[in-house]
Amino acid sequence: MASESAVSDTVELAELGERPMRRRTLSEDSQSGYSAKTWNSDSDQFEQNFKDRGVWSSKFDFFFACLGYGVGMANFLRFPGLVFKNGGGVFFIPYLLMVFLCVIPIVYLEMIIGQFSSASTLQFGRVIPLFQGIGWAMFIVTFFTIIYYQIVLSWVVYYLFSSLTAQLPFGHCNNTWNTPGCRTISQWNLTVSDDKHTIAFNNGSINVTDVTARTPSEEYFRFFVLAESGDIGILGEINWRLALSLLFAWACVFVVLFQSVTSPKKVIYVTVVVPWLLMIVFLIATAMLPGSSIGFRYFLSPNWDKISQASTWTDASSQAFYSMGPCFGGIMTLSSYNKFKYNIQRDAILLALLDTLTSFLSGLVVCGSLGVLSFKTGIPITELSISGSGLTFIAYPDLFESLPAAPAWSAVFFLMLLLLGFSSQLTMSESLVTSVHDQLPKSSRNKRFRFVIFSCLCIVGSCLGLLFTCQAGIYWFELLNNFAADWNLLIIAIFFSLSITYCYGWRRIAVDVQFMSGNRPSLYWFSSWFATPFLLSVSGETCWPFSIERLGLPSCTNPIGCLV
């Protein structure tokens, strides 16, 4: 037992800026489970740690940075497709349950750890040395995600530049890559020829024997932008157009990240606010087209048969985590730049609400466009063979021919997607860079070494990303997209919540939160933190064994996905 004189000892914790100094007695530490050694740190060193890292100049900067990180292309590329696949409106039930029971509590927990410790992912061992591997797992998953996420940005960049023409190349069937099965929406009921068609590509060619009727946007995406080889084992040639777009996307990331994470405020606000405004504009434009109500009804009407399927709950879990971005390390990194006394509880809740609202709006936009496509072609919306990543790059571009000034609409649409993806990519890249930078000796933590780290990340990312610019790149993309950041995130979330709640201790978390904000967490937070690992374990059981065949890939690629 501590002596009476030892209990009366105090430690002064000095805080940066407007943070008042608070005297915290060792008796409080003993009651909460802390040892005296935990708080016997020099106050000057405590303050200097914050000065070295820097802080957000405004609470709005932090909030918009987190919002830009959470709201990204996953809201457009993944969420509408999952709703389309899992019975329409019934998908909202498991999705919202996972958001409020698991995702929000883990987001808040990650914010607490980041703000209290002022640590990035690779420094997670400072909190619980036994679970240092959790930080490394976050780092590795983020690295893989950045690599394949950037290829989506390159698609968007290519579409954006392709839209700067008088006539959209994916708005008609008079191109060299079009097959006899190409039909615009107005020509959909015409007879399809069954002749074999050869499409020139670089120095070779692609033989297309499948003459199923397709829209110009589908053929543009599959046969020109991707130039699909038809098999993951046939790597094919590098598409130099996509390669240049990939380099351009990495150059944009490098230019912004060369500055400190707390500097590019204007970039943060633009990449968050502008896409929201444009999304509302596109929703209004879609609603004015005939047939959009078909898509809206399907999006909102529940198919109750899907609610009992395990895959629906698995997709809801993975999408909730992928969209909000917990367990990637980005939230922890952004929170580490917070002022120590900042109240982050309201931010965690608001971020979840706005991210869910964004997913809902994007789902209306994409499914509304599917309704228009169904109305004009006469094909029931449930039978439209559009899924996966191509949903956004095929479904909505088909509508541009129905709108006046189609190239302008197309350019604005892909600019919106670029801003959405750019904001998330910036934070994930910053998370990696900050993690490596914090591992360096303090004498080496300067802009010169940050420049070296940025350069290495961009060079390595560009080289590895060339795999996805090959003719088989889309298959490798789907492989990583479904293995690297789905099941892995659930596993990390389980161990993260277990380590903090049961090893670090819920009492310590309560004291830490009260020390920072003045209020203890409510019963909702404690009950969610205790229940989250078990809820995620039940959800994770349905993820394995993973059915690789549903991606259209051979079963031999399953071990590769498991290794990832």
Side-chain angles (χ1 to χ4, degrees):
M1 295 178 62
S3 65
E4 183 177 353
S5 59
V7 171
S8 62
D9 290 339
T10 61
V11 177
E12 292 185 352
L13 296 181
E15 300 166 17
L16 188 63
E18 300 176 354
R19 289 170 293 182
M21 295 178 63
R22 184 205 191 259
R23 300 176 65 85
R24 191 163 188 264
T25 63
L26 296 181
S27 60
E28 292 177 303
D29 298 332
S30 61
Q31 294 173 2
S32 61
Y34 284 107
S35 63
K37 184 178 179 181
T38 305
W39 290 99
N40 282 336
S41 57
D42 184 68
S43 60
D44 293 335
Q45 182 178 1
F46 183 85
E47 181 178 356
Q48 186 63 37
N49 288 339
F50 279 96
K51 289 181 178 179
D52 292 340
R53 290 183 61 81
V55 293
W56 297 101
S57 60
S58 169
K59 60 183 180 181
F60 295 105
D61 293 343
F62 167 71
F63 179 78
F64 275 92
C66 289
L67 185 60
Y69 167 66
V71 176
M73 282 195 295
N75 301 83
F76 244 97
L77 295 180
R78 290 169 61 104
F79 185 81
L82 292 176
V83 174
F84 187 77
K85 167 193 169 187
N86 292 292
V90 76
F91 183 74
F92 296 135
I93 297 176
Y95 181 79
L96 292 177
L97 285 176
M98 293 305 301
V99 167
F100 285 98
L101 294 180
C102 297
V103 176
I104 295 180
I106 290 185
V107 168
Y108 184 39
L109 201 59
E110 195 170 336
M111 286 183 175
I112 293 172
I113 298 301
Q115 179 170 308
F116 190 82
S117 64
S118 188
S120 53
T121 54
L122 292 184
Q123 293 182 312
F124 186 77
R126 287 170 45 184
V127 182
I128 308 178
L130 182 62
F131 288 91
Q132 173 68 34
I134 293 178
W136 280 100
M138 292 180 178
F139 184 88
I140 294 172
V141 169
T142 303
F143 177 76
F144 276 111
T145 304
I146 284 177
I147 298 302
Y148 76 80
Y149 194 90
Q150 194 75 349
I151 192 63
V152 183
L153 282 179
S154 69
W155 297 345
V156 175
V157 168
Y158 190 80
Y159 269 82
L160 178 60
F161 284 110
S162 298
S163 301
L164 305 178
T165 58
Q167 185 180 25
L168 293 176
F170 45 83
H172 58 89
C173 295
N174 300 324
N175 302 291
T176 56
W177 58 83
N178 290 129
T179 68
C182 179
R183 292 291 182 270
T184 62
I185 294 179
S186 59
Q187 301 172 331
W188 192 258
N189 294 323
L190 296 180
T191 304
V192 178
S193 171
D194 58 356
D195 295 334
K196 187 175 181 179
H197 190 69
T198 302
I199 302 173
F201 174 73
N202 288 1
N203 296 324
S205 61
I206 307 172
N207 293 324
V208 181
T209 56
D210 181 8
V211 291
T212 304
R214 304 183 185 89
T215 61
S217 61
E218 181 180 358
E219 294 204 343
Y220 180 79
F221 182 65
R222 293 183 55 190
F223 301 146
F224 184 73
V225 177
L226 302 179
E228 295 176 347
S229 64
D231 192 328
I232 192 173
I234 305 176
L235 195 59
E237 305 175 17
I238 292 179
N239 188 335
W240 62 268
R241 305 177 188 88
L242 279 185
L244 291 178
S245 300
L246 180 67
L247 293 177
F248 177 83
W250 273 114
C252 292
V253 171
F254 177 81
V255 169
V256 176
L257 287 184
F258 181 67
Q259 303 296 324
S260 172
V261 66
T262 57
S263 296
K265 305 184 186 73
K266 294 182 180 180
V267 175
I268 293 173
Y269 289 119
V270 169
T271 56
V272 172
V273 176
V274 173
W276 257 76
L277 298 177
L278 295 179
M279 198 180 305
I280 295 174
V281 171
F282 278 103
L283 179 59
I284 296 174
T286 304
M288 296 175 64
L289 295 175
S292 60
S293 59
I294 299 175
F296 294 154
R297 282 197 301 268
Y298 182 81
F299 182 75
L300 299 174
S301 300
N303 180 0
W304 295 108
D305 294 336
K306 293 286 187 176
I307 195 67
S308 59
Q309 297 183 7
S311 59
T312 301
W313 292 84
T314 300
D315 289 340
S317 302
S318 61
Q319 173 59 22
F321 274 88
Y322 192 90
S323 179
M324 281 289 294
C327 300
F328 279 104
I331 294 176
M332 185 184 300
T333 300
L334 294 175
S335 301
S336 68
Y337 292 98
N338 268 343
K339 294 181 179 180
F340 191 73
K341 288 292 186 181
Y342 183 58
N343 184 3
I344 49 180
Q345 176 176 306
R346 59 176 177 264
D347 285 355
I349 298 175
L350 284 176
L351 286 172
L353 293 177
L354 290 176
D355 182 80
T356 303
L357 179 59
T358 304
S359 297
F360 183 78
L361 290 177
S362 63
L364 285 176
V365 171
V366 175
C367 287
S369 65
L370 289 176
V372 177
L373 186 61
S374 173
F375 175 79
K376 293 190 174 183
T377 60
I379 302 176
I381 191 171
T382 55
E383 297 180 11
L384 291 175
S385 57
I386 303 176
S387 60
S389 305
L391 187 63
T392 300
F393 290 95
I394 295 174
Y396 208 86
D398 278 327
L399 300 184
F400 292 142
E401 66 172 283
S402 304
L403 298 172
W409 282 100
S410 177
V412 173
F413 177 77
F414 289 108
L415 176 62
M416 177 188 67
L417 289 183
L418 182 63
L419 294 176
L420 282 172
F422 195 57
S423 59
S424 299
Q425 187 75 335
L426 285 177
T427 305
M428 287 191 291
S429 300
E430 176 61 33
S431 176
L432 291 185
V433 172
T434 301
S435 297
V436 176
H437 190 257
D438 287 349
Q439 294 296 103
L440 299 175
K442 288 188 177 181
S443 59
S444 301
R445 299 178 188 176
N446 50 49
K447 285 190 175 183
R448 183 179 65 181
F449 281 93
R450 284 182 67 89
F451 178 83
V452 173
I453 299 172
F454 289 145
S455 302
C456 292
L457 174 62
C458 293
I459 293 174
V460 172
S462 300
C463 294
L464 295 179
L466 291 177
L467 170 67
F468 304 102
T469 65
C470 297
Q471 292 177 258
I474 182 61
Y475 308 113
W476 289 99
F477 169 81
E478 292 292 351
L479 188 69
L480 285 179
N481 188 35
N482 285 272
F483 274 98
D486 271 3
W487 199 67
N488 289 344
L489 282 182
L490 297 181
I491 296 296
I492 294 174
I494 291 171
F495 282 97
F496 178 76
S497 55
L498 282 174
S499 63
I500 298 297
T501 306
Y502 293 93
C503 297
Y504 185 78
W506 63 271
R507 291 185 178 88
R508 290 185 176 184
I509 288 294
V511 173
D512 293 345
V513 173
Q514 186 175 15
F515 187 48
M516 290 189 295
S517 64
N519 300 311
R520 294 175 68 89
S522 64
L523 180 62
Y524 161 74
W525 298 110
F526 286 119
S527 58
S528 299
W529 290 334
F530 278 104
T532 292
F534 305 103
L535 292 176
L536 293 180
S537 297
V538 173
S539 176
E541 288 181 0
T542 62
C543 297
W544 197 266
F546 189 83
S547 179
I548 197 71
E549 286 78 9
R550 71 180 177 87
L551 301 179
L553 302 178
S555 57
C556 62
T557 59
N558 200 63
I560 301 176
C562 298
L563 181 62
V564 172

